[in-house]
Amino acid sequence: MEILSQNRCFGGVQTVVRHRSDVCRCSMTLGVFMPPQAEERPVPALWFLSGLTCTHENAMTKAGLQAHAARHGLALIFPDTSPRGEGVADDDAYDLGQGAGFYVNATQAPWRGHYQMYDYVVKELPALLESEFALNGVHGITGHSMGGHGAITIALRNPDRYRSLSAFAPIVNPTRSDWGRKQLSAYLGDDEAQWAAHDASLLLEEAGWKGDILIDQGAADQFLDLLRPEAMAEALARTRQPSVLRLQPGYDHSYFFVASFGEDHVRWHAERLASA
């Protein structure tokens, strides 16, 4: 791994690294925050998956999570949202291609050569980071918008890998949203049966979750119709899933919203990862 930058941060260290991804077949950049406790012992990791148009940098610099993670002794992992670089397929639209990987393994041309973000986040990157940083193998996952979609679907499909789960304004019903149908069709093809494995509301009813889930959603979010929080509320109720789903009055879709409730989410994960 090539270190691009390192900065002292709340007693820990915020590092940005680049490495060659075998599954995405390109160089990938990510942020890793190690809290001060990691100087004495391996620590749990909280993954933050970002949304459409973002890189690793958005949440790393705007969400304000490092102070809370340092207090609780959690590492923070900020992956990119897609493969990038020369030869990587892209689209003129902001919501497809580079910056919009949707955390799936693409099976359709021209995306399948590089867009293997599910395997990258779930398999390749954890193994790499655990060999390079003082991580203890205990993981939680959260994310914002498209990243919230990724966090919930990845956790529900891998309950043995993740011990805690939360999301900020997640896309929870992509099979019924323009933030989903377009991308799932492009990456996975037109067989909608293949899309269900990447729909949080459908997955919850099929598989459930072993613990509890925290979801914060801004009531003034300009993208509410695309996020479809009502679908998740209905799924949580039907499955009687232990959860906290909060509709926060006046908050929009921005990182100001994420930063406002970031402390709650870090504490949520810290309590569950500490007892793992």
Side-chain angles (χ1 to χ4, degrees):
M1 302 186 83
E2 176 188 2
I3 295 176
L4 301 181
S5 66
Q6 282 190 315
N7 299 93
R8 199 71 176 167
C9 183
F10 294 103
V13 178
Q14 177 64 64
T15 302
V16 176
V17 298
R18 180 167 56 208
H19 72 103
R20 178 73 184 181
S21 168
D22 291 334
V23 299
C24 293
R25 300 179 183 176
C26 65
S27 292
M28 300 290 285
T29 303
L30 65 142
V32 180
F33 171 73
M34 297 301 294
Q37 294 87 341
E39 296 177 5
E40 300 178 358
R41 64 182 186 277
V43 297
L46 174 58
W47 293 68
F48 189 103
L49 306 186
S50 292
L52 288 167
T53 75
C54 291
T55 69
H56 69 282
E57 191 173 20
N58 296 72
M60 186 181 77
T61 59
K62 295 180 179 180
L65 301 179
Q66 289 92 338
H68 314 309
R71 189 176 308 116
H72 292 286
L74 295 185
L76 296 171
I77 313 298
F78 301 102
D80 204 344
T81 55
S82 77
R84 298 179 191 272
E86 185 177 354
V88 176
D90 200 7
D91 191 89
D92 290 338
Y94 77 94
D95 58 355
L96 187 67
Q98 295 187 33
F102 257 76
Y103 304 100
V104 303
N105 287 339
T107 59
Q108 305 298 303
W111 314 105
R112 63 186 175 218
H114 296 93
Y115 284 74
Q116 304 296 310
M117 289 300 295
Y118 179 88
D119 279 354
Y120 177 68
V121 169
V122 174
K123 299 177 182 179
E124 183 181 35
L125 194 52
L128 179 61
L129 294 179
E130 287 180 4
S131 71
E132 297 286 340
F133 292 90
L135 304 177
N136 67 5
V138 178
H139 297 267
I141 192 166
T142 188
H144 174 231
S145 194
M146 179 187 72
H149 141 80
I152 298 173
T153 56
I154 284 172
L156 295 184
R157 294 178 62 182
N158 299 274
D160 294 336
R161 182 174 294 274
Y162 302 96
R163 305 290 184 89
S164 57
L165 172 60
S166 76
F168 300 84
I171 302 170
V172 293
N173 194 202
T175 62
R176 294 293 177 266
S177 169
D178 288 342
W179 272 0
R181 293 186 63 83
K182 171 184 177 179
Q183 295 82 2
L184 296 176
S185 175
Y187 296 141
L188 304 178
D190 293 332
D191 181 3
E192 296 192 20
Q194 301 298 316
W195 303 358
H198 303 283
D199 186 303
S201 298
L202 299 180
L203 272 177
L204 182 65
E205 297 209 43
E206 176 184 332
W209 173 246
K210 61 186 179 182
D212 45 8
I213 305 170
L214 171 63
I215 299 174
D216 273 307
Q217 171 63 62
D221 193 313
Q222 59 271 45
F223 302 115
L224 272 177
D225 290 343
L226 295 166
L227 302 170
R228 293 183 50 79
E230 66 276 8
M232 178 56 75
E234 292 168 3
L236 291 169
R238 281 196 295 266
T239 59
R240 300 181 180 180
Q241 172 68 47
S243 57
V244 177
L245 173 56
R246 306 188 298 194
L247 199 60
Q248 301 289 3
Y251 283 89
D252 60 15
H253 198 68
S254 70
Y255 269 98
F256 295 110
F257 157 68
V258 176
S260 296
F261 300 100
E263 182 177 8
D264 291 352
H265 284 248
V266 172
R267 183 172 59 250
W268 172 277
H269 287 275
E271 291 170 352
R272 286 148 185 80
L273 297 177
S275 62

